[in-house]
Amino acid sequence: MNNEILVSICCITYNHEKFIRQALDGFLMQKTNFKFEIIIHDDASTDSTQEIIHEYENKYPDIIKAIYQKENQYKKGIKASYITYQNAKGKYIAVCEGDDYWIDENKLQIQVDYMEQNPKCSFCFHNAKYLNMKNMDNTKVCIPFCKKQIRYIKKNNIYDVGELALLDQIPTASYLFKKVDFPEWYNNCIAGDLATQLICTSYGYAYYIDRIMSVYRIGTGQSITDKWIEDAKDYEKELERINKCIKLYEDINEYTKYEYSKEFEYLIDKLKAVIILTNPNAQVSKRDYKKLKRNLDFYIKIKLFIRVHLKKIYYKLKQLKQKS
């Protein structure tokens, strides 16, 4: 085995005392013919997460490197993931947050083997399972699908930046990518996971492995997804989030020198349509509507048509849907 670290496993945690042992055990069970390290960043947890990490750090001092924050970096607008990436020594970075976990002992070896044999591959991901903590019976396979074609991916495949941008349900705990220099705007973007996968893919291509090797927990109350779901109840917060998502797509489009403008324009127009559909006071000219609808899916076009031309009926139907 080469003594140089080939993979850095980057894990960020915050109040994950119920889950962190399972995450760390999933890292340590990996069977590899290469050396890896575990960089775990705790963002000033107020529960016993730091104590558990310290316990593992003392037991595996040659593998686990912990970063303990005294002040929450997320509240300061600093991405914990960026801190771990900067401290990574490996050629490749694997990602798994403290409330997710790996279930395949060969996960890292499978991904690294492919990337080592295919040097142009700069980002690799795989299938996973969802585990809903609010309904433990509601565990399902997290199969990535295409947002534009509503088509699920059911085989190994290669993607460029534009194609990857159109995929949904890419579990963070499946990421393995070549270590790259991230642009300055990365630290301020709303979705670091989305930015990571697209920035890294721009250095080559992305490869999907249709094998379930990790579990993605939802409903823990600690994830950014949970926060977005809660914020969606407040229109102003939801509007701010959508505009930040639009800014992210614009930044990545510029970063990739507008090579994938068609895909990013579609995604931006889709978000603009969401703003119109959720704001009862939004003023939309027929000219803007005509320009916008050219790039949208049929279902959204129908909703947008009703919203613009039959406003009263649209909100009556929306109220009925909320009541039901």
Side-chain angles (χ1 to χ4, degrees), residues 100-101 103 126-132 139-143 171 211-218:
D100 299 330
Y101 59 101
I103 55 175
H126 58 74
N127 206 341
K129 283 185 179 180
Y130 273 130
L131 177 59
N132 191 334
T139 302
K140 62 180 181 179
V141 176
C142 174
I143 307 175
R211 175 167 167 154
I212 297 170
M213 296 192 280
S214 63
V215 173
Y216 172 57
R217 279 193 177 94
I218 58 174

Side-chain angles (χ1 to χ4, degrees), residues 22-261:
Q22 198 166 18
L24 289 169
D25 289 341
F27 305 154
L28 293 165
M29 77 175 181
Q30 293 300 301
K31 292 183 177 180
T32 65
N33 60 13
F34 53 83
K35 191 175 179 180
F36 63 84
E37 65 176 352
I38 301 168
I39 300 172
I40 184 161
H41 176 284
D42 182 79
D43 208 6
S45 288
T46 57
D47 61 6
S48 63
T49 301
Q50 288 196 0
E51 286 82 354
I52 296 169
I53 295 169
H54 193 63
E55 173 193 327
Y56 275 77
E57 187 182 21
N58 286 337
K59 194 173 181 181
Y60 303 96
D62 296 332
I63 301 175
I64 297 176
K65 284 85 177 175
I67 301 168
Y68 303 103
Q69 296 291 353
K70 293 181 179 179
E71 293 182 89
N72 188 277
Q73 300 301 295
Y74 175 78
K75 291 178 180 177
K76 292 181 176 182
I78 299 171
K79 281 189 168 43
S81 57
Y82 187 65
I83 296 171
T84 60
Y85 298 166
Q86 286 185 314
N87 281 273
K89 295 179 181 177
K91 175 182 177 181
Y92 301 108
I93 292 176
V95 177
C96 183
E97 296 184 2
D99 54 350
D100 299 330
Y101 59 101
W102 296 347
I103 55 175
D104 191 320
E105 63 186 10
N106 298 305
K107 170 198 149 62
L108 281 185
Q109 190 68 57
I110 290 168
Q111 289 184 287
V112 168
D113 282 347
Y114 178 84
M115 294 189 75
E116 286 287 277
Q117 292 163 17
N118 300 271
K120 290 184 179 179
C121 177
S122 52
F123 180 81
C124 182
F125 63 108
H126 58 74
N127 206 341
K129 283 185 179 180
Y130 273 130
L131 177 59
N132 191 334
M133 299 305 293
K134 293 180 179 178
N135 180 5
M136 297 296 283
D137 295 327
N138 187 20
T139 302
K140 62 180 181 179
V141 176
C142 174
I143 307 175
F145 68 93
C146 180
K147 298 173 187 175
K148 195 166 185 179
Q149 299 168 326
I150 316 300
R151 176 173 51 83
Y152 286 90
I153 306 167
K154 295 184 179 179
K155 61 180 180 180
N156 295 4
N157 213 345
I158 288 172
Y159 299 90
D160 62 25
V161 173
E163 292 165 337
L164 194 72
L166 294 176
L167 295 188
D168 202 359
Q169 293 188 186
I170 299 179
T172 312
S174 74
Y175 291 10
L176 181 77
F177 55 87
K178 286 182 180 177
K179 186 177 180 180
V180 301
D181 292 325
F182 286 84
E184 288 184 15
W185 53 260
Y186 172 83
N187 219 16
N188 298 315
C189 72
I190 187 171
D193 52 352
L194 176 60
T196 296
Q197 65 193 41
L198 296 178
I199 289 167
C200 292
T201 300
S202 73
Y203 284 81
Y205 68 80
Y207 183 67
Y208 169 68
I209 299 173
D210 190 33
R211 175 167 167 154
I212 297 170
M213 296 192 280
S214 63
V215 173
Y216 172 57
R217 279 193 177 94
I218 58 174
T220 63
Q222 299 293 343
S223 71
I224 189 67
T225 304
D226 291 328
K227 183 179 184 301
W228 286 353
I229 291 171
E230 186 62 31
D231 286 351
K233 299 172 185 176
D234 183 321
Y235 174 71
E236 293 302 323
K237 287 183 179 179
E238 178 69 354
L239 180 61
E240 182 183 5
R241 183 185 74 83
I242 293 170
N243 282 323
K244 285 182 178 179
C245 287
I246 290 173
K247 180 66 168 60
L248 173 57
Y249 285 134
E250 289 173 342
D251 286 339
I252 295 174
N253 196 19
E254 181 181 358
Y255 185 78
T256 54
K257 298 178 181 178
Y258 304 99
E259 188 177 349
Y260 309 98
S261 288

